[in-house]
Each structure stands twice: as structure tokens, then as C-alpha cells.
Amino acid sequence: MYRKEKPLPLKSSASSLTNNLTVFISPEKGSMSYAVVHKSVVNVISSSLDGSTVTNRQVVCKEPSAVQQNTPMAKWISLPNRTVLVLTSLRGIQMFESDGSAMIYWHALGDPSSSDTQDQTNYGRGIAGVGDSCICVGTQIGEIHVFNVPAKGTNILLKESLVGHKHPICDLTSGPNKLVSSDEQGNIFIWSLQANGSLKQTESVIGKGVPCSSLVLWNDIIVGGYGDGQLRVYCAKTAKLAATVNAHARWVNAIDVAPETGRILSVSEDTFAKVWQLKEGTLPEIEYKYSESVTDLQLVGGQFIQKGGRGFCVTGYDNSDITFFVQN
């Protein structure tokens, strides 16, 4: 179904983080960009759509501390009028222009001067865009910060903080007027965008103590990837469980969805990247389509590179390549 293509080399290897790959397609510039985290540096590779030209850039996480910290997550968020590269770390949230050339916003997390070590760190994890101008970022203490991002300039404001999770946020995903969040106990909360622009919790899924490390939302279908190797499919309107798949032998580190077709990509520490097909209905269904093992590589990131799911790429821990698979 898919064939392996020539990889793109990174300047440094991928860290062992969940969702450690983000892809930004820019049709107007005729380019595709890939970002992978290595410790406190984000490696950004941009290539033309035909692959003839490739450029590298490194975005350094600018910590207001002498101690260099890891970056738990990096992700491009495309709002209707602007695309922003968002980085989270143990000390705060940073937003950059889409090419990583300039930092446009910094939001501190935690209090380094506090005598309580738990107050000193409050890392950010889970990033998603909602509505026309909002970017949401999850935190270690379970709050979700909602930022209002203008079409241009640096006047980014913290709009509200959503309270509901009692455990550290693992991932966020979003759809039209909807936000979905997961945490380290496997709880999933569904938030709806209200007429006044605020987000209100409408449904929830009670977890079983296993982290839901990655989330996607497609046509009111939620798919979660879990630390026990399972994929679980839920109806976003009712939060009812529709299907459970023992998809992988080890931790699911990332999942992605092809928006035009409903194909799902899941990658795991068990070396496998697998492709599934979602089917809509009163109770959604999921069907196995394809799997490929990347030998001796714990996969930490995976993304489709085309909206129909005709190609995807993956990253692996301590490996300096982005590996590509294209449909036959």
C-alpha cells in the first residue's frame, strides 16, 4: 500500500517525547516544513514540494534560566489568518513566526523563586488551535490556557484558563468550534466554543489510569492513542466508546488523521507505523489497512504529508532521519 522513500536528515536526533513531529504545508510558498525536538532545540527542515531544494534551521528554546531545559513539544498551528510555531517547555510557552525566525510571545509557567519544588515547574504539553484566533496549550497542573492571537503583530493575550482536569495534560486536538483534551489518567474532556467566544466543557470520558498520549478529531469522531498500545474510538457528541483496538505492543506515541479521507496513522515504541480507516455512523468504526516496521527504531512522531493520507512520515528516538512512506 505504501513504499519507503528517501529520508530527510536532521541536524540532531529526535528526543524521546510523544508527538515529536509536526508538519506545515504552505501551498502559497510551494513548500513543506517539518519540525522535530532535540532537547532544547527544534530542528526545522523546509523543502520544496518536489523535494529539489532543502533548507535547515534550528529554533532554540529561549529559557529565562541558566539551566537548559528540554522542550516537551513543538507544533505549528494554522489559524485562518496566521500560522504560528508554538513551543512548550518546563518554564513556559513560546510562540514564533511560522518560519521560526522571530519569537512573538512568551508566557511563563511556574515560579522559579518558589520554595516548593512543585510550584517551580509547570510544563506545557498539548497544543491546538480553536476558532478564528485562539491557541490552546495544556499544562502539568491540568489547566488549559487559551490565548487570543491577532492576524499580525505581537499583541497576544491570555484569554482564559480552562479548569477541569486534575492531572497533567497529555494532548489537545480540535475541530470546528470544538476542543478535545486528554490527561495522564486517560480522562478525555470535550469543550465547545460558545457564542461569546469562551469554551465550555460539554462531555467527558472517565479514564482507566492509562495515559491518553495522543488525540485526533475527525467529523465528530475522537481517536485516542494510549500507553497500553490501544486505540480507542469515541463519538464526540455523546462521548460513548465505539471501538477499542489492541493496535500496538507498546506505548502509542503519536496519531494523526488525514482530513479528506478519515485515515488514521498510529506510531509506537514497538517500531510499527500503522494506517487505519475510520467509518462514520451512529457508532463509528475503525478498520486496519497497513503496517510497516522501521527496524530497531522506537517511533516517537508520525504525520500525514497529504490531506488524503497518500503519504506519511515518521521519526524515531535517537535517530536523525525523517522517514517517508508514499502510497503505491
Side-chain angles (χ1 to χ4, degrees), residues 19-25 33-37 40-46 57-62 71-79 82-89 92-107 127-129 135-137 147 149-150 153 156 303:
N19 305 299
N20 194 4
L21 173 64
T22 180
V23 176
F24 170 47
I25 304 170
S33 299
Y34 313 86
V36 179
V37 174
S40 63
V41 174
V42 180
N43 294 290
V44 179
I45 300 178
S46 297
R57 175 191 289 273
Q58 288 191 318
V59 180
V60 179
C61 184
K62 298 177 174 63
T71 301
M73 198 171 191
K75 189 175 183 179
W76 275 292
I77 299 297
S78 294
L79 299 171
R82 190 174 193 176
T83 298
V84 178
L85 177 61
V86 184
L87 275 58
T88 67
S89 71
I93 300 162
Q94 299 172 47
M95 299 186 190
F96 290 78
E97 296 289 4
S98 61
D99 61 358
S101 60
M103 187 169 74
I104 56 175
Y105 183 71
W106 159 264
H107 178 83
I127 306 165
I135 291 179
C136 304
V137 182
F147 300 92
V149 180
I156 297 170
Q303 292 266 283

Short mmCIF file of all heavy atoms in Angstrom, two decimals, residues 19-25 33-37 40-46 57-62 71-79 82-89 92-107 127-129 135-137 147 149-150 153 156 303:
data_model
loop_
_atom_site.label_atom_id
_atom_site.label_comp_id
_atom_site.label_asym_id
_atom_site.label_seq_id
_atom_site.Cartn_x
_atom_site.Cartn_y
_atom_site.Cartn_z
N ASN A 19 4.44 12.67 20.30
CA ASN A 19 4.06 13.64 19.26
C ASN A 19 5.24 14.48 18.79
O ASN A 19 5.11 15.67 18.55
CB ASN A 19 2.92 14.55 19.76
CG ASN A 19 1.71 13.76 20.24
OD1 ASN A 19 1.10 13.03 19.48
ND2 ASN A 19 1.41 13.86 21.53
N ASN A 20 6.43 13.82 18.68
CA ASN A 20 7.64 14.57 18.34
C ASN A 20 7.84 14.66 16.83
O ASN A 20 8.85 14.21 16.28
CB ASN A 20 8.86 13.94 19.01
CG ASN A 20 10.07 14.87 18.96
OD1 ASN A 20 9.98 16.00 18.48
ND2 ASN A 20 11.20 14.39 19.45
N LEU A 21 6.88 15.25 16.16
CA LEU A 21 6.97 15.60 14.75
C LEU A 21 5.77 16.46 14.41
O LEU A 21 4.64 16.11 14.76
CB LEU A 21 6.98 14.35 13.86
CG LEU A 21 6.89 14.57 12.34
CD1 LEU A 21 8.11 15.33 11.83
CD2 LEU A 21 6.74 13.25 11.59
N THR A 22 6.01 17.60 13.78
CA THR A 22 4.92 18.44 13.30
C THR A 22 5.23 18.85 11.87
O THR A 22 6.39 19.05 11.52
CB THR A 22 4.71 19.67 14.22
OG1 THR A 22 3.63 20.47 13.72
CG2 THR A 22 5.95 20.52 14.32
N VAL A 23 4.19 18.92 11.05
CA VAL A 23 4.35 19.20 9.62
C VAL A 23 3.50 20.41 9.26
O VAL A 23 2.35 20.54 9.71
CB VAL A 23 3.92 17.99 8.77
CG1 VAL A 23 4.00 18.31 7.28
CG2 VAL A 23 4.79 16.78 9.08
N PHE A 24 4.07 21.31 8.45
CA PHE A 24 3.35 22.50 7.98
C PHE A 24 3.47 22.57 6.46
O PHE A 24 4.57 22.66 5.92
CB PHE A 24 3.93 23.76 8.62
CG PHE A 24 3.43 25.05 8.04
CD1 PHE A 24 2.08 25.26 7.82
CD2 PHE A 24 4.31 26.07 7.71
CE1 PHE A 24 1.61 26.45 7.29
CE2 PHE A 24 3.86 27.27 7.18
CZ PHE A 24 2.50 27.46 6.97
N ILE A 25 2.33 22.49 5.78
CA ILE A 25 2.29 22.57 4.32
C ILE A 25 1.87 23.98 3.92
O ILE A 25 0.83 24.47 4.37
CB ILE A 25 1.31 21.53 3.75
CG1 ILE A 25 1.68 20.12 4.22
CG2 ILE A 25 1.29 21.58 2.22
CD1 ILE A 25 0.63 19.07 3.91
N SER A 33 7.28 22.00 5.57
CA SER A 33 8.23 22.12 6.66
C SER A 33 7.96 21.06 7.72
O SER A 33 6.81 20.69 7.96
CB SER A 33 8.16 23.51 7.30
OG SER A 33 8.48 24.52 6.36
N TYR A 34 9.05 20.57 8.33
CA TYR A 34 8.97 19.52 9.35
C TYR A 34 9.77 20.01 10.56
O TYR A 34 10.87 20.55 10.42
CB TYR A 34 9.58 18.22 8.84
CG TYR A 34 9.11 17.82 7.46
CD1 TYR A 34 9.76 18.31 6.32
CD2 TYR A 34 8.03 16.97 7.28
CE1 TYR A 34 9.33 17.96 5.04
CE2 TYR A 34 7.60 16.61 6.02
CZ TYR A 34 8.25 17.11 4.90
OH TYR A 34 7.82 16.77 3.65
N ALA A 35 9.22 19.81 11.75
CA ALA A 35 9.92 20.21 12.98
C ALA A 35 9.98 19.04 13.95
O ALA A 35 8.97 18.37 14.19
CB ALA A 35 9.23 21.40 13.63
N VAL A 36 11.19 18.81 14.51
CA VAL A 36 11.43 17.72 15.44
C VAL A 36 12.24 18.26 16.61
O VAL A 36 13.22 19.00 16.41
CB VAL A 36 12.20 16.56 14.75
CG1 VAL A 36 12.47 15.44 15.74
CG2 VAL A 36 11.42 16.04 13.55
N VAL A 37 11.87 17.88 17.83
CA VAL A 37 12.54 18.39 19.03
C VAL A 37 13.74 17.51 19.40
O VAL A 37 13.64 16.28 19.42
CB VAL A 37 11.56 18.44 20.22
CG1 VAL A 37 12.28 18.84 21.51
CG2 VAL A 37 10.42 19.40 19.93
N SER A 40 16.60 21.01 23.93
CA SER A 40 16.01 22.35 23.94
C SER A 40 16.05 23.01 22.57
O SER A 40 15.82 24.21 22.44
CB SER A 40 16.76 23.23 24.95
OG SER A 40 18.11 23.38 24.56
N VAL A 41 16.31 22.23 21.53
CA VAL A 41 16.40 22.76 20.16
C VAL A 41 15.33 22.11 19.29
O VAL A 41 15.08 20.90 19.40
CB VAL A 41 17.79 22.49 19.56
CG1 VAL A 41 17.85 22.91 18.09
CG2 VAL A 41 18.86 23.22 20.36
N VAL A 42 14.69 22.91 18.45
CA VAL A 42 13.74 22.38 17.48
C VAL A 42 14.39 22.43 16.10
O VAL A 42 14.77 23.50 15.61
CB VAL A 42 12.43 23.20 17.47
CG1 VAL A 42 11.45 22.63 16.45
CG2 VAL A 42 11.80 23.21 18.86
N ASN A 43 14.58 21.27 15.50
CA ASN A 43 15.13 21.18 14.16
C ASN A 43 14.02 21.39 13.14
O ASN A 43 13.04 20.63 13.14
CB ASN A 43 15.78 19.81 13.92
CG ASN A 43 16.99 19.60 14.80
OD1 ASN A 43 18.01 20.22 14.62
ND2 ASN A 43 16.86 18.69 15.77
N VAL A 44 14.15 22.39 12.28
CA VAL A 44 13.15 22.68 11.26
C VAL A 44 13.76 22.46 9.88
O VAL A 44 14.81 23.02 9.56
CB VAL A 44 12.65 24.14 11.37
CG1 VAL A 44 11.62 24.43 10.28
CG2 VAL A 44 12.03 24.39 12.75
N ILE A 45 13.13 21.59 9.10
CA ILE A 45 13.55 21.34 7.71
C ILE A 45 12.43 21.83 6.80
O ILE A 45 11.27 21.46 6.97
CB ILE A 45 13.81 19.85 7.45
CG1 ILE A 45 14.91 19.31 8.36
CG2 ILE A 45 14.19 19.63 6.00
CD1 ILE A 45 15.18 17.83 8.17
N SER A 46 12.79 22.66 5.81
CA SER A 46 11.83 23.11 4.80
C SER A 46 12.29 22.62 3.44
O SER A 46 13.47 22.74 3.10
CB SER A 46 11.72 24.64 4.80
OG SER A 46 11.22 25.10 6.04
N ARG A 57 16.96 24.85 9.63
CA ARG A 57 17.00 25.91 10.63
C ARG A 57 16.85 25.27 12.00
O ARG A 57 16.15 24.27 12.15
CB ARG A 57 15.89 26.93 10.39
CG ARG A 57 15.79 28.01 11.49
CD ARG A 57 14.52 28.83 11.34
NE ARG A 57 14.55 29.71 10.21
CZ ARG A 57 15.05 30.95 10.22
NH1 ARG A 57 15.55 31.42 11.35
NH2 ARG A 57 15.04 31.69 9.16
N GLN A 58 17.50 25.85 13.00
CA GLN A 58 17.32 25.39 14.38
C GLN A 58 16.73 26.52 15.21
O GLN A 58 17.27 27.62 15.23
CB GLN A 58 18.64 24.91 14.97
CG GLN A 58 19.13 23.59 14.39
CD GLN A 58 20.29 23.00 15.17
OE1 GLN A 58 21.20 23.70 15.56
NE2 GLN A 58 20.27 21.69 15.38
N VAL A 59 15.61 26.23 15.85
CA VAL A 59 14.96 27.19 16.73
C VAL A 59 15.29 26.79 18.17
O VAL A 59 14.96 25.68 18.60
CB VAL A 59 13.43 27.20 16.52
CG1 VAL A 59 12.77 28.22 17.45
CG2 VAL A 59 13.10 27.50 15.07
N VAL A 60 15.96 27.67 18.87
CA VAL A 60 16.40 27.37 20.23
C VAL A 60 15.33 27.85 21.22
O VAL A 60 14.86 28.98 21.14
CB VAL A 60 17.75 28.04 20.55
CG1 VAL A 60 18.17 27.74 21.99
CG2 VAL A 60 18.81 27.58 19.57
N CYS A 61 14.96 26.96 22.12
CA CYS A 61 14.01 27.32 23.18
C CYS A 61 14.68 28.33 24.10
O CYS A 61 15.67 28.01 24.77
CB CYS A 61 13.61 26.07 23.94
SG CYS A 61 12.36 26.35 25.19
N LYS A 62 14.18 29.55 24.12
CA LYS A 62 14.81 30.64 24.87
C LYS A 62 14.29 30.65 26.30
O LYS A 62 13.26 31.25 26.61
CB LYS A 62 14.54 31.98 24.18
CG LYS A 62 15.12 32.06 22.76
CD LYS A 62 14.76 33.37 22.10
CE LYS A 62 15.46 33.53 20.76
NZ LYS A 62 15.06 32.52 19.78
N THR A 71 12.48 20.75 25.73
CA THR A 71 11.25 21.26 25.14
C THR A 71 10.30 20.09 24.97
O THR A 71 10.52 19.23 24.11
CB THR A 71 11.54 21.91 23.77
OG1 THR A 71 12.48 22.98 23.95
CG2 THR A 71 10.27 22.45 23.13
N PRO A 72 9.22 20.01 25.77
CA PRO A 72 8.33 18.85 25.67
C PRO A 72 7.57 18.76 24.35
O PRO A 72 7.18 17.68 23.94
CB PRO A 72 7.36 19.06 26.84
CG PRO A 72 8.09 19.92 27.80
CD PRO A 72 8.91 20.83 26.95
N MET A 73 7.35 19.89 23.66
CA MET A 73 6.50 19.81 22.47
C MET A 73 6.71 21.02 21.57
O MET A 73 6.97 22.13 22.03
CB MET A 73 5.03 19.72 22.88
CG MET A 73 4.10 19.23 21.80
SD MET A 73 2.44 18.93 22.46
CE MET A 73 1.71 18.07 21.07
N ALA A 74 6.59 20.80 20.25
CA ALA A 74 6.57 21.88 19.26
C ALA A 74 5.49 21.54 18.24
O ALA A 74 5.34 20.39 17.85
CB ALA A 74 7.92 22.01 18.58
N LYS A 75 4.73 22.55 17.82
CA LYS A 75 3.65 22.30 16.87
C LYS A 75 3.28 23.57 16.12
O LYS A 75 3.21 24.65 16.71
CB LYS A 75 2.41 21.76 17.63
CG LYS A 75 1.31 21.25 16.72
CD LYS A 75 0.19 20.63 17.55
CE LYS A 75 -0.90 20.03 16.67
NZ LYS A 75 -1.97 19.40 17.49
N TRP A 76 3.10 23.42 14.80
CA TRP A 76 2.54 24.52 14.01
C TRP A 76 1.04 24.54 14.16
O TRP A 76 0.37 23.51 14.05
CB TRP A 76 2.88 24.35 12.54
CG TRP A 76 4.21 24.88 12.14
CD1 TRP A 76 4.60 26.18 12.11
CD2 TRP A 76 5.35 24.13 11.71
NE1 TRP A 76 5.92 26.29 11.68
CE2 TRP A 76 6.39 25.05 11.43
CE3 TRP A 76 5.59 22.76 11.52
CZ2 TRP A 76 7.64 24.65 10.98
CZ3 TRP A 76 6.83 22.36 11.07
CH2 TRP A 76 7.84 23.30 10.81
N ILE A 77 0.48 25.73 14.41
CA ILE A 77 -0.96 25.92 14.48
C ILE A 77 -1.36 26.88 13.37
O ILE A 77 -0.90 28.02 13.33
CB ILE A 77 -1.41 26.48 15.85
CG1 ILE A 77 -1.04 25.50 16.96
CG2 ILE A 77 -2.90 26.77 15.85
CD1 ILE A 77 -1.72 24.16 16.88
N SER A 78 -2.21 26.41 12.47
CA SER A 78 -2.68 27.23 11.35
C SER A 78 -4.07 27.76 11.66
O SER A 78 -5.05 27.01 11.61
CB SER A 78 -2.67 26.42 10.06
OG SER A 78 -1.36 26.07 9.68
N LEU A 79 -4.15 29.04 11.98
CA LEU A 79 -5.43 29.73 12.15
C LEU A 79 -5.83 30.32 10.79
O LEU A 79 -5.00 30.39 9.88
CB LEU A 79 -5.29 30.84 13.20
CG LEU A 79 -4.90 30.36 14.61
CD1 LEU A 79 -4.57 31.56 15.50
CD2 LEU A 79 -6.01 29.53 15.24
N ARG A 82 -3.39 33.28 10.18
CA ARG A 82 -1.99 33.26 10.63
C ARG A 82 -1.57 31.85 11.02
O ARG A 82 -2.38 31.08 11.55
CB ARG A 82 -1.84 34.19 11.85
CG ARG A 82 -0.40 34.44 12.26
CD ARG A 82 -0.35 35.48 13.37
NE ARG A 82 0.98 35.99 13.59
CZ ARG A 82 1.28 36.96 14.44
NH1 ARG A 82 0.32 37.53 15.15
NH2 ARG A 82 2.53 37.37 14.58
N THR A 83 -0.30 31.53 10.76
CA THR A 83 0.28 30.27 11.22
C THR A 83 1.40 30.58 12.21
O THR A 83 2.26 31.42 11.94
CB THR A 83 0.83 29.45 10.04
OG1 THR A 83 -0.25 29.12 9.16
CG2 THR A 83 1.47 28.16 10.53
N VAL A 84 1.37 29.89 13.34
CA VAL A 84 2.32 30.15 14.43
C VAL A 84 2.99 28.84 14.83
O VAL A 84 2.34 27.79 14.87
CB VAL A 84 1.58 30.76 15.65
CG1 VAL A 84 2.53 30.99 16.82
CG2 VAL A 84 0.89 32.07 15.27
N LEU A 85 4.30 28.90 15.10
CA LEU A 85 5.03 27.75 15.66
C LEU A 85 5.04 27.90 17.17
O LEU A 85 5.59 28.88 17.70
CB LEU A 85 6.45 27.70 15.11
CG LEU A 85 7.36 26.58 15.66
CD1 LEU A 85 6.80 25.21 15.35
CD2 LEU A 85 8.79 26.73 15.12
N VAL A 86 4.43 26.96 17.88
CA VAL A 86 4.31 27.03 19.34
C VAL A 86 5.24 26.01 19.98
O VAL A 86 5.25 24.84 19.59
CB VAL A 86 2.86 26.77 19.79
CG1 VAL A 86 2.73 26.94 21.30
CG2 VAL A 86 1.89 27.69 19.06
N LEU A 87 6.03 26.47 20.96
CA LEU A 87 6.93 25.60 21.72
C LEU A 87 6.50 25.62 23.18
O LEU A 87 6.11 26.66 23.71
CB LEU A 87 8.37 26.08 21.64
CG LEU A 87 9.25 25.67 20.46
CD1 LEU A 87 8.65 26.09 19.13
CD2 LEU A 87 10.65 26.29 20.61
N THR A 88 6.56 24.47 23.83
CA THR A 88 6.33 24.42 25.27
C THR A 88 7.58 23.89 25.95
O THR A 88 8.36 23.14 25.35
CB THR A 88 5.14 23.51 25.63
OG1 THR A 88 5.48 22.15 25.31
CG2 THR A 88 3.89 23.90 24.87
N SER A 89 7.78 24.28 27.19
CA SER A 89 8.96 23.84 27.93
C SER A 89 8.63 23.72 29.41
O SER A 89 7.48 23.92 29.82
CB SER A 89 10.11 24.84 27.72
OG SER A 89 9.82 26.05 28.40
N GLY A 92 7.84 27.59 30.33
CA GLY A 92 6.86 28.47 29.72
C GLY A 92 6.44 28.05 28.33
O GLY A 92 6.78 26.97 27.83
N ILE A 93 5.66 28.93 27.71
CA ILE A 93 5.11 28.74 26.37
C ILE A 93 5.67 29.83 25.47
O ILE A 93 5.64 31.01 25.83
CB ILE A 93 3.57 28.81 26.41
CG1 ILE A 93 3.00 27.72 27.32
CG2 ILE A 93 2.98 28.72 25.00
CD1 ILE A 93 1.57 27.98 27.76
N GLN A 94 6.20 29.43 24.33
CA GLN A 94 6.76 30.39 23.38
C GLN A 94 6.07 30.26 22.04
O GLN A 94 5.76 29.15 21.60
CB GLN A 94 8.26 30.16 23.22
CG GLN A 94 9.04 30.33 24.51
CD GLN A 94 10.48 29.91 24.36
OE1 GLN A 94 11.15 30.29 23.41
NE2 GLN A 94 10.97 29.11 25.29
N MET A 95 5.84 31.39 21.39
CA MET A 95 5.25 31.40 20.05
C MET A 95 6.18 32.14 19.10
O MET A 95 6.70 33.21 19.44
CB MET A 95 3.86 32.06 20.08
CG MET A 95 2.86 31.34 20.95
SD MET A 95 1.19 32.02 20.84
CE MET A 95 0.38 31.16 22.20
N PHE A 96 6.37 31.53 17.94
CA PHE A 96 7.26 32.08 16.92
C PHE A 96 6.48 32.29 15.62
O PHE A 96 5.43 31.67 15.40
CB PHE A 96 8.42 31.11 16.63
CG PHE A 96 9.43 30.99 17.74
CD1 PHE A 96 9.16 30.22 18.87
CD2 PHE A 96 10.65 31.63 17.66
CE1 PHE A 96 10.08 30.09 19.89
CE2 PHE A 96 11.59 31.51 18.68
CZ PHE A 96 11.31 30.74 19.79
N GLU A 97 7.03 33.16 14.75
CA GLU A 97 6.53 33.22 13.38
C GLU A 97 6.66 31.83 12.76
O GLU A 97 7.46 31.01 13.20
CB GLU A 97 7.31 34.25 12.57
CG GLU A 97 7.16 35.69 13.04
CD GLU A 97 5.77 36.28 12.78
OE1 GLU A 97 4.88 35.55 12.28
OE2 GLU A 97 5.57 37.46 13.07
N SER A 98 5.90 31.56 11.72
CA SER A 98 5.82 30.20 11.18
C SER A 98 7.16 29.64 10.73
O SER A 98 7.38 28.43 10.78
CB SER A 98 4.82 30.16 10.02
OG SER A 98 5.24 31.01 8.97
N ASP A 99 8.09 30.51 10.32
CA ASP A 99 9.41 30.02 9.89
C ASP A 99 10.40 29.92 11.04
O ASP A 99 11.57 29.55 10.83
CB ASP A 99 9.97 30.90 8.77
CG ASP A 99 10.17 32.35 9.21
OD1 ASP A 99 9.83 32.68 10.37
OD2 ASP A 99 10.65 33.15 8.40
N GLY A 100 9.97 30.25 12.26
CA GLY A 100 10.85 30.18 13.43
C GLY A 100 11.84 31.31 13.54
O GLY A 100 12.73 31.29 14.39
N SER A 101 11.71 32.34 12.69
CA SER A 101 12.71 33.41 12.63
C SER A 101 12.63 34.38 13.80
O SER A 101 13.63 34.96 14.20
CB SER A 101 12.57 34.18 11.31
OG SER A 101 11.26 34.74 11.22
N ALA A 102 11.43 34.58 14.36
CA ALA A 102 11.28 35.57 15.43
C ALA A 102 10.28 35.10 16.46
O ALA A 102 9.20 34.60 16.11
CB ALA A 102 10.83 36.91 14.85
N MET A 103 10.64 35.25 17.74
CA MET A 103 9.71 34.92 18.81
C MET A 103 8.74 36.08 18.99
O MET A 103 9.15 37.24 19.06
CB MET A 103 10.44 34.65 20.12
CG MET A 103 9.52 34.15 21.22
SD MET A 103 10.38 33.52 22.68
CE MET A 103 10.93 35.06 23.41
N ILE A 104 7.44 35.79 19.01
CA ILE A 104 6.44 36.86 19.09
C ILE A 104 5.74 36.89 20.45
O ILE A 104 5.03 37.85 20.76
CB ILE A 104 5.40 36.72 17.96
CG1 ILE A 104 4.73 35.33 18.00
CG2 ILE A 104 6.04 36.96 16.61
CD1 ILE A 104 3.60 35.16 16.99
N TYR A 105 5.93 35.83 21.27
CA TYR A 105 5.26 35.82 22.57
C TYR A 105 5.92 34.82 23.50
O TYR A 105 6.39 33.77 23.08
CB TYR A 105 3.78 35.43 22.38
CG TYR A 105 2.97 35.48 23.66
CD1 TYR A 105 2.64 36.68 24.27
CD2 TYR A 105 2.51 34.30 24.25
CE1 TYR A 105 1.89 36.71 25.44
CE2 TYR A 105 1.75 34.32 25.41
CZ TYR A 105 1.45 35.54 26.01
OH TYR A 105 0.71 35.57 27.16
N TRP A 106 5.95 35.20 24.79
CA TRP A 106 6.45 34.32 25.84
C TRP A 106 5.48 34.37 27.01
O TRP A 106 5.07 35.45 27.45
CB TRP A 106 7.85 34.79 26.31
CG TRP A 106 8.23 34.30 27.68
CD1 TRP A 106 8.09 34.97 28.86
CD2 TRP A 106 8.79 33.03 28.02
NE1 TRP A 106 8.53 34.20 29.91
CE2 TRP A 106 8.97 33.00 29.42
CE3 TRP A 106 9.17 31.90 27.27
CZ2 TRP A 106 9.49 31.90 30.08
CZ3 TRP A 106 9.69 30.81 27.94
CH2 TRP A 106 9.85 30.82 29.33
N HIS A 107 5.09 33.20 27.51
CA HIS A 107 4.22 33.13 28.67
C HIS A 107 4.87 32.21 29.69
O HIS A 107 5.11 31.03 29.42
CB HIS A 107 2.84 32.58 28.28
CG HIS A 107 1.91 32.44 29.45
ND1 HIS A 107 1.17 33.49 29.95
CD2 HIS A 107 1.60 31.35 30.22
CE1 HIS A 107 0.45 33.07 30.98
NE2 HIS A 107 0.70 31.78 31.17
N ILE A 127 -1.11 21.12 22.30
CA ILE A 127 -1.28 22.41 21.61
C ILE A 127 -2.34 22.23 20.54
O ILE A 127 -2.32 21.26 19.78
CB ILE A 127 0.04 22.88 20.97
CG1 ILE A 127 1.17 22.91 21.99
CG2 ILE A 127 -0.12 24.25 20.33
CD1 ILE A 127 2.56 23.02 21.37
N ALA A 128 -3.28 23.19 20.44
CA ALA A 128 -4.31 23.12 19.41
C ALA A 128 -4.86 24.51 19.14
O ALA A 128 -4.85 25.39 20.02
CB ALA A 128 -5.46 22.19 19.83
N GLY A 129 -5.34 24.73 17.92
CA GLY A 129 -5.99 25.99 17.56
C GLY A 129 -7.50 25.79 17.52
O GLY A 129 -7.99 24.76 17.06
N ILE A 135 -5.41 29.95 20.37
CA ILE A 135 -4.48 28.83 20.51
C ILE A 135 -4.54 28.34 21.95
O ILE A 135 -4.43 29.14 22.89
CB ILE A 135 -3.04 29.23 20.13
CG1 ILE A 135 -2.95 29.49 18.62
CG2 ILE A 135 -2.04 28.16 20.55
CD1 ILE A 135 -1.57 29.92 18.15
N CYS A 136 -4.75 27.04 22.12
CA CYS A 136 -4.87 26.45 23.45
C CYS A 136 -3.63 25.61 23.77
O CYS A 136 -3.14 24.88 22.90
CB CYS A 136 -6.10 25.57 23.54
SG CYS A 136 -7.64 26.41 23.11
N VAL A 137 -3.14 25.71 25.00
CA VAL A 137 -1.97 24.96 25.44
C VAL A 137 -2.26 24.34 26.81
O VAL A 137 -2.66 25.04 27.74
CB VAL A 137 -0.71 25.85 25.53
CG1 VAL A 137 0.50 25.02 25.94
CG2 VAL A 137 -0.44 26.56 24.20
N PHE A 147 -5.15 31.40 24.43
CA PHE A 147 -4.55 32.66 24.02
C PHE A 147 -5.25 33.21 22.79
O PHE A 147 -5.58 32.46 21.86
CB PHE A 147 -3.06 32.48 23.70
CG PHE A 147 -2.24 31.99 24.86
CD1 PHE A 147 -2.02 30.63 25.05
CD2 PHE A 147 -1.70 32.88 25.77
CE1 PHE A 147 -1.28 30.17 26.12
CE2 PHE A 147 -0.95 32.43 26.85
CZ PHE A 147 -0.73 31.07 27.03
N VAL A 149 -4.80 35.27 19.52
CA VAL A 149 -3.68 35.60 18.63
C VAL A 149 -4.18 36.48 17.48
O VAL A 149 -5.03 36.03 16.70
CB VAL A 149 -3.04 34.31 18.06
CG1 VAL A 149 -1.87 34.65 17.15
CG2 VAL A 149 -2.57 33.41 19.20
N PRO A 150 -3.69 37.72 17.36
CA PRO A 150 -4.13 38.60 16.26
C PRO A 150 -3.58 38.14 14.92
O PRO A 150 -2.67 37.33 14.85
CB PRO A 150 -3.56 39.96 16.66
CG PRO A 150 -2.34 39.64 17.48
CD PRO A 150 -2.68 38.37 18.21
N GLY A 153 1.31 40.95 14.27
CA GLY A 153 1.79 41.65 15.45
C GLY A 153 2.00 40.73 16.64
O GLY A 153 1.83 39.51 16.55
N ILE A 156 -0.47 39.34 21.72
CA ILE A 156 -1.11 38.06 22.08
C ILE A 156 -1.49 38.11 23.56
O ILE A 156 -0.68 38.49 24.41
CB ILE A 156 -0.16 36.89 21.78
CG1 ILE A 156 0.13 36.83 20.28
CG2 ILE A 156 -0.73 35.57 22.28
CD1 ILE A 156 1.23 35.87 19.90
N GLN A 303 3.18 11.81 11.05
CA GLN A 303 2.22 12.75 10.47
C GLN A 303 1.97 12.40 9.01
O GLN A 303 2.90 12.00 8.27
CB GLN A 303 2.78 14.19 10.52
CG GLN A 303 2.89 14.77 11.92
CD GLN A 303 1.66 15.57 12.29
OE1 GLN A 303 1.46 16.69 11.87
NE2 GLN A 303 0.82 14.97 13.11
#
